[in-house]
mmCIF file of all heavy atoms in Angstrom:
data_model
loop_
_atom_site.group_PDB
_atom_site.id
_atom_site.type_symbol
_atom_site.label_atom_id
_atom_site.label_comp_id
_atom_site.label_asym_id
_atom_site.label_seq_id
_atom_site.Cartn_x
_atom_site.Cartn_y
_atom_site.Cartn_z
ATOM 1 N N LEU N 17 -1.269 -10.855 -14.713
ATOM 2 C CA LEU N 17 -2.453 -10.185 -15.245
ATOM 3 C C LEU N 17 -2.797 -10.758 -16.617
ATOM 4 O O LEU N 17 -3.964 -10.996 -16.925
ATOM 5 C CB LEU N 17 -2.227 -8.676 -15.326
ATOM 6 C CG LEU N 17 -3.389 -7.849 -15.854
ATOM 7 C CD1 LEU N 17 -4.641 -8.051 -15.001
ATOM 8 C CD2 LEU N 17 -3.018 -6.382 -15.902
ATOM 9 N N GLU N 18 -1.784 -11.000 -17.437
ATOM 10 C CA GLU N 18 -2.008 -11.582 -18.768
ATOM 11 C C GLU N 18 -2.652 -12.967 -18.649
ATOM 12 O O GLU N 18 -3.576 -13.301 -19.390
ATOM 13 C CB GLU N 18 -0.685 -11.674 -19.520
ATOM 14 C CG GLU N 18 -0.827 -12.185 -20.939
ATOM 15 C CD GLU N 18 0.509 -12.301 -21.652
ATOM 16 O OE1 GLU N 18 1.568 -12.254 -21.002
ATOM 17 O OE2 GLU N 18 0.467 -12.447 -22.883
ATOM 18 N N LEU N 19 -2.190 -13.780 -17.693
ATOM 19 C CA LEU N 19 -2.788 -15.096 -17.460
ATOM 20 C C LEU N 19 -4.247 -14.965 -17.060
ATOM 21 O O LEU N 19 -5.117 -15.678 -17.557
ATOM 22 C CB LEU N 19 -2.037 -15.837 -16.351
ATOM 23 C CG LEU N 19 -0.690 -16.411 -16.688
ATOM 24 C CD1 LEU N 19 0.016 -16.886 -15.424
ATOM 25 C CD2 LEU N 19 -0.830 -17.544 -17.668
ATOM 26 N N THR N 20 -4.510 -14.042 -16.156
ATOM 27 C CA THR N 20 -5.879 -13.826 -15.676
ATOM 28 C C THR N 20 -6.779 -13.384 -16.819
ATOM 29 O O THR N 20 -7.887 -13.900 -16.984
ATOM 30 C CB THR N 20 -5.887 -12.776 -14.554
ATOM 31 O OG1 THR N 20 -4.994 -13.206 -13.518
ATOM 32 C CG2 THR N 20 -7.262 -12.590 -13.976
ATOM 33 N N GLN N 21 -6.315 -12.469 -17.626
ATOM 34 C CA GLN N 21 -7.109 -11.981 -18.751
ATOM 35 C C GLN N 21 -7.356 -13.087 -19.773
ATOM 36 O O GLN N 21 -8.460 -13.215 -20.300
ATOM 37 C CB GLN N 21 -6.422 -10.787 -19.402
ATOM 38 C CG GLN N 21 -6.419 -9.560 -18.537
ATOM 39 C CD GLN N 21 -5.534 -8.458 -19.073
ATOM 40 O OE1 GLN N 21 -4.574 -8.696 -19.808
ATOM 41 N NE2 GLN N 21 -5.837 -7.227 -18.685
ATOM 42 N N TYR N 22 -6.335 -13.885 -20.038
ATOM 43 C CA TYR N 22 -6.483 -14.970 -21.010
ATOM 44 C C TYR N 22 -7.525 -15.975 -20.531
ATOM 45 O O TYR N 22 -8.408 -16.380 -21.281
ATOM 46 C CB TYR N 22 -5.140 -15.664 -21.251
ATOM 47 C CG TYR N 22 -5.222 -16.735 -22.306
ATOM 48 C CD1 TYR N 22 -5.040 -16.418 -23.642
ATOM 49 C CD2 TYR N 22 -5.515 -18.048 -21.976
ATOM 50 C CE1 TYR N 22 -5.135 -17.389 -24.630
ATOM 51 C CE2 TYR N 22 -5.617 -19.030 -22.949
ATOM 52 C CZ TYR N 22 -5.419 -18.685 -24.275
ATOM 53 O OH TYR N 22 -5.534 -19.654 -25.243
ATOM 54 N N LEU N 23 -7.432 -16.377 -19.275
ATOM 55 C CA LEU N 23 -8.389 -17.354 -18.750
ATOM 56 C C LEU N 23 -9.785 -16.763 -18.614
ATOM 57 O O LEU N 23 -10.777 -17.479 -18.724
ATOM 58 C CB LEU N 23 -7.900 -17.926 -17.428
ATOM 59 C CG LEU N 23 -6.710 -18.864 -17.573
ATOM 60 C CD1 LEU N 23 -6.184 -19.276 -16.214
ATOM 61 C CD2 LEU N 23 -7.078 -20.086 -18.389
ATOM 62 N N ASP N 24 -9.869 -15.464 -18.414
ATOM 63 C CA ASP N 24 -11.170 -14.814 -18.375
ATOM 64 C C ASP N 24 -11.842 -14.907 -19.741
ATOM 65 O O ASP N 24 -13.028 -15.181 -19.853
ATOM 66 C CB ASP N 24 -11.019 -13.355 -17.949
ATOM 67 C CG ASP N 24 -12.351 -12.638 -17.849
ATOM 68 O OD1 ASP N 24 -13.308 -13.225 -17.282
ATOM 69 O OD2 ASP N 24 -12.433 -11.489 -18.311
ATOM 70 N N ARG N 25 -11.069 -14.732 -20.795
ATOM 71 C CA ARG N 25 -11.605 -14.794 -22.147
ATOM 72 C C ARG N 25 -11.873 -16.219 -22.623
ATOM 73 O O ARG N 25 -12.848 -16.474 -23.320
ATOM 74 C CB ARG N 25 -10.641 -14.124 -23.130
ATOM 75 C CG ARG N 25 -10.615 -12.620 -23.050
ATOM 76 C CD ARG N 25 -9.838 -12.007 -24.204
ATOM 77 N NE ARG N 25 -8.486 -12.520 -24.331
ATOM 78 C CZ ARG N 25 -7.417 -12.030 -23.702
ATOM 79 N NH1 ARG N 25 -7.549 -10.998 -22.907
ATOM 80 N NH2 ARG N 25 -6.222 -12.558 -23.900
ATOM 81 N N HIS N 26 -10.993 -17.157 -22.273
ATOM 82 C CA HIS N 26 -11.067 -18.508 -22.825
ATOM 83 C C HIS N 26 -11.553 -19.574 -21.850
ATOM 84 O O HIS N 26 -11.845 -20.689 -22.273
ATOM 85 C CB HIS N 26 -9.701 -18.919 -23.379
ATOM 86 C CG HIS N 26 -9.246 -18.044 -24.485
ATOM 87 N ND1 HIS N 26 -8.414 -16.959 -24.284
ATOM 88 C CD2 HIS N 26 -9.513 -18.060 -25.803
ATOM 89 C CE1 HIS N 26 -8.190 -16.364 -25.434
ATOM 90 N NE2 HIS N 26 -8.843 -17.005 -26.377
ATOM 91 N N GLY N 27 -11.579 -19.278 -20.560
ATOM 92 C CA GLY N 27 -11.976 -20.278 -19.579
ATOM 93 C C GLY N 27 -11.021 -21.459 -19.584
ATOM 94 O O GLY N 27 -9.871 -21.347 -20.004
ATOM 95 N N SER N 28 -11.501 -22.603 -19.136
ATOM 96 C CA SER N 28 -10.637 -23.783 -19.101
ATOM 97 C C SER N 28 -10.447 -24.384 -20.493
ATOM 98 O O SER N 28 -9.735 -25.367 -20.656
ATOM 99 C CB SER N 28 -11.184 -24.829 -18.134
ATOM 100 O OG SER N 28 -12.474 -25.241 -18.529
ATOM 101 N N ALA N 29 -11.076 -23.778 -21.510
ATOM 102 C CA ALA N 29 -10.877 -24.237 -22.887
ATOM 103 C C ALA N 29 -9.439 -23.995 -23.334
ATOM 104 O O ALA N 29 -9.009 -24.533 -24.335
ATOM 105 C CB ALA N 29 -11.837 -23.520 -23.829
ATOM 106 N N GLY N 30 -8.713 -23.172 -22.558
ATOM 107 C CA GLY N 30 -7.307 -22.938 -22.856
ATOM 108 C C GLY N 30 -6.472 -24.194 -22.706
ATOM 109 O O GLY N 30 -5.375 -24.277 -23.225
ATOM 110 N N GLY N 31 -6.995 -25.192 -22.014
ATOM 111 C CA GLY N 31 -6.315 -26.468 -21.872
ATOM 112 C C GLY N 31 -5.421 -26.527 -20.659
ATOM 113 O O GLY N 31 -5.648 -25.851 -19.662
ATOM 114 N N SER N 32 -4.397 -27.327 -20.765
ATOM 115 C CA SER N 32 -3.477 -27.572 -19.661
ATOM 116 C C SER N 32 -2.551 -26.377 -19.446
ATOM 117 O O SER N 32 -2.531 -25.428 -20.244
ATOM 118 C CB SER N 32 -2.653 -28.810 -19.949
ATOM 119 O OG SER N 32 -1.776 -28.552 -21.033
ATOM 120 N N VAL N 33 -1.771 -26.463 -18.390
ATOM 121 C CA VAL N 33 -0.780 -25.424 -18.120
ATOM 122 C C VAL N 33 0.198 -25.331 -19.290
ATOM 123 O O VAL N 33 0.545 -24.239 -19.734
ATOM 124 C CB VAL N 33 -0.035 -25.721 -16.796
ATOM 125 C CG1 VAL N 33 1.091 -24.725 -16.573
ATOM 126 C CG2 VAL N 33 -1.010 -25.695 -15.623
ATOM 127 N N ARG N 34 0.592 -26.465 -19.823
ATOM 128 C CA ARG N 34 1.510 -26.483 -20.969
ATOM 129 C C ARG N 34 0.875 -25.808 -22.191
ATOM 130 O O ARG N 34 1.514 -25.024 -22.883
ATOM 131 C CB ARG N 34 1.894 -27.914 -21.311
ATOM 132 C CG ARG N 34 2.876 -28.005 -22.461
ATOM 133 C CD ARG N 34 3.299 -29.414 -22.705
ATOM 134 N NE ARG N 34 4.046 -29.857 -21.531
ATOM 135 C CZ ARG N 34 4.489 -31.069 -21.334
ATOM 136 N NH1 ARG N 34 4.250 -32.001 -22.229
ATOM 137 N NH2 ARG N 34 5.164 -31.381 -20.256
ATOM 138 N N ASP N 35 -0.402 -26.111 -22.443
ATOM 139 C CA ASP N 35 -1.107 -25.477 -23.565
ATOM 140 C C ASP N 35 -1.201 -23.971 -23.367
ATOM 141 O O ASP N 35 -1.026 -23.200 -24.301
ATOM 142 C CB ASP N 35 -2.511 -26.052 -23.721
ATOM 143 C CG ASP N 35 -2.519 -27.510 -24.126
ATOM 144 O OD1 ASP N 35 -1.531 -27.967 -24.731
ATOM 145 O OD2 ASP N 35 -3.518 -28.196 -23.803
ATOM 146 N N LEU N 36 -1.496 -23.579 -22.136
ATOM 147 C CA LEU N 36 -1.602 -22.163 -21.817
ATOM 148 C C LEU N 36 -0.265 -21.461 -22.050
ATOM 149 O O LEU N 36 -0.215 -20.378 -22.645
ATOM 150 C CB LEU N 36 -2.062 -21.999 -20.362
ATOM 151 C CG LEU N 36 -2.268 -20.605 -19.837
ATOM 152 C CD1 LEU N 36 -3.305 -19.851 -20.665
ATOM 153 C CD2 LEU N 36 -2.707 -20.655 -18.380
ATOM 154 N N ALA N 37 0.829 -22.076 -21.609
ATOM 155 C CA ALA N 37 2.160 -21.497 -21.812
ATOM 156 C C ALA N 37 2.453 -21.341 -23.300
ATOM 157 O O ALA N 37 2.993 -20.326 -23.733
ATOM 158 C CB ALA N 37 3.214 -22.379 -21.151
ATOM 159 N N ARG N 38 2.077 -22.333 -24.073
ATOM 160 C CA ARG N 38 2.299 -22.276 -25.523
ATOM 161 C C ARG N 38 1.485 -21.143 -26.143
ATOM 162 O O ARG N 38 1.983 -20.401 -26.990
ATOM 163 C CB ARG N 38 1.923 -23.620 -26.152
ATOM 164 C CG ARG N 38 2.411 -23.784 -27.563
ATOM 165 C CD ARG N 38 2.184 -25.192 -28.093
ATOM 166 N NE ARG N 38 2.461 -26.183 -27.061
ATOM 167 C CZ ARG N 38 1.660 -27.216 -26.759
ATOM 168 N NH1 ARG N 38 0.569 -27.429 -27.436
ATOM 169 N NH2 ARG N 38 1.966 -28.050 -25.801
ATOM 170 N N GLN N 39 0.218 -21.025 -25.749
ATOM 171 C CA GLN N 39 -0.644 -19.969 -26.300
ATOM 172 C C GLN N 39 -0.107 -18.576 -25.991
ATOM 173 O O GLN N 39 -0.236 -17.661 -26.797
ATOM 174 C CB GLN N 39 -2.068 -20.102 -25.740
ATOM 175 C CG GLN N 39 -2.824 -21.295 -26.250
ATOM 176 C CD GLN N 39 -3.132 -21.175 -27.729
ATOM 177 O OE1 GLN N 39 -3.412 -20.105 -28.241
ATOM 178 N NE2 GLN N 39 -3.053 -22.299 -28.422
ATOM 179 N N LEU N 40 0.481 -18.423 -24.798
ATOM 180 C CA LEU N 40 0.983 -17.113 -24.375
ATOM 181 C C LEU N 40 2.459 -16.913 -24.704
ATOM 182 O O LEU N 40 3.022 -15.872 -24.375
ATOM 183 C CB LEU N 40 0.759 -16.940 -22.868
ATOM 184 C CG LEU N 40 -0.700 -16.922 -22.420
ATOM 185 C CD1 LEU N 40 -0.786 -16.930 -20.916
ATOM 186 C CD2 LEU N 40 -1.421 -15.720 -23.004
ATOM 187 N N ASP N 41 3.067 -17.927 -25.339
ATOM 188 C CA ASP N 41 4.487 -17.880 -25.683
ATOM 189 C C ASP N 41 5.340 -17.614 -24.440
ATOM 190 O O ASP N 41 6.175 -16.719 -24.422
ATOM 191 C CB ASP N 41 4.752 -16.832 -26.765
ATOM 192 C CG ASP N 41 6.121 -16.994 -27.403
ATOM 193 O OD1 ASP N 41 6.638 -18.140 -27.441
ATOM 194 O OD2 ASP N 41 6.696 -15.978 -27.844
ATOM 195 N N ARG N 42 5.066 -18.395 -23.398
ATOM 196 C CA ARG N 42 5.778 -18.283 -22.122
ATOM 197 C C ARG N 42 6.389 -19.628 -21.754
ATOM 198 O O ARG N 42 5.948 -20.675 -22.214
ATOM 199 C CB ARG N 42 4.830 -17.856 -20.997
ATOM 200 C CG ARG N 42 4.136 -16.544 -21.211
ATOM 201 C CD ARG N 42 5.025 -15.418 -20.703
ATOM 202 N NE ARG N 42 4.328 -14.156 -20.736
ATOM 203 C CZ ARG N 42 4.640 -13.175 -21.562
ATOM 204 N NH1 ARG N 42 5.610 -13.319 -22.427
ATOM 205 N NH2 ARG N 42 3.992 -12.045 -21.535
ATOM 206 N N ASP N 43 7.350 -19.607 -20.860
ATOM 207 C CA ASP N 43 7.970 -20.813 -20.348
ATOM 208 C C ASP N 43 6.984 -21.567 -19.449
ATOM 209 O O ASP N 43 6.289 -20.937 -18.641
ATOM 210 C CB ASP N 43 9.223 -20.422 -19.543
ATOM 211 C CG ASP N 43 9.889 -21.603 -18.899
ATOM 212 O OD1 ASP N 43 10.434 -22.438 -19.632
ATOM 213 O OD2 ASP N 43 9.836 -21.691 -17.654
ATOM 214 N N ASN N 44 6.926 -22.900 -19.594
ATOM 215 C CA ASN N 44 6.010 -23.713 -18.780
ATOM 216 C C ASN N 44 6.209 -23.480 -17.291
ATOM 217 O O ASN N 44 5.246 -23.346 -16.537
ATOM 218 C CB ASN N 44 6.213 -25.204 -19.059
ATOM 219 C CG ASN N 44 5.729 -25.629 -20.417
ATOM 220 O OD1 ASN N 44 5.019 -24.902 -21.090
ATOM 221 N ND2 ASN N 44 6.127 -26.820 -20.826
ATOM 222 N N GLY N 45 7.458 -23.444 -16.858
ATOM 223 C CA GLY N 45 7.754 -23.256 -15.439
ATOM 224 C C GLY N 45 7.280 -21.906 -14.927
ATOM 225 O O GLY N 45 6.753 -21.809 -13.819
ATOM 226 N N ALA N 46 7.459 -20.873 -15.730
ATOM 227 C CA ALA N 46 7.043 -19.531 -15.323
ATOM 228 C C ALA N 46 5.521 -19.448 -15.214
ATOM 229 O O ALA N 46 4.983 -18.856 -14.272
ATOM 230 C CB ALA N 46 7.568 -18.487 -16.303
ATOM 231 N N VAL N 47 4.819 -20.065 -16.158
ATOM 232 C CA VAL N 47 3.353 -20.067 -16.128
ATOM 233 C C VAL N 47 2.859 -20.855 -14.921
ATOM 234 O O VAL N 47 1.973 -20.419 -14.189
ATOM 235 C CB VAL N 47 2.766 -20.627 -17.443
ATOM 236 C CG1 VAL N 47 1.272 -20.873 -17.324
ATOM 237 C CG2 VAL N 47 3.056 -19.668 -18.580
ATOM 238 N N SER N 48 3.462 -22.009 -14.680
ATOM 239 C CA SER N 48 3.078 -22.832 -13.543
ATOM 240 C C SER N 48 3.291 -22.092 -12.229
ATOM 241 O O SER N 48 2.429 -22.092 -11.346
ATOM 242 C CB SER N 48 3.872 -24.130 -13.554
ATOM 243 O OG SER N 48 3.489 -24.946 -12.483
#
Side-chain angles (χ1 to χ4, degrees):
L17 181 58
E18 184 181 14
L19 285 170
T20 304
Q21 291 170 335
Y22 183 88
L23 289 174
D24 182 45
R25 286 190 305 272
H26 298 95
S28 60
S32 68
V33 174
R34 182 176 295 174
D35 294 335
L36 181 59
R38 194 172 320 133
Q39 290 293 323
L40 296 173
D41 195 28
R42 301 273 187 249
D43 176 68
N44 289 346
V47 169
S48 181

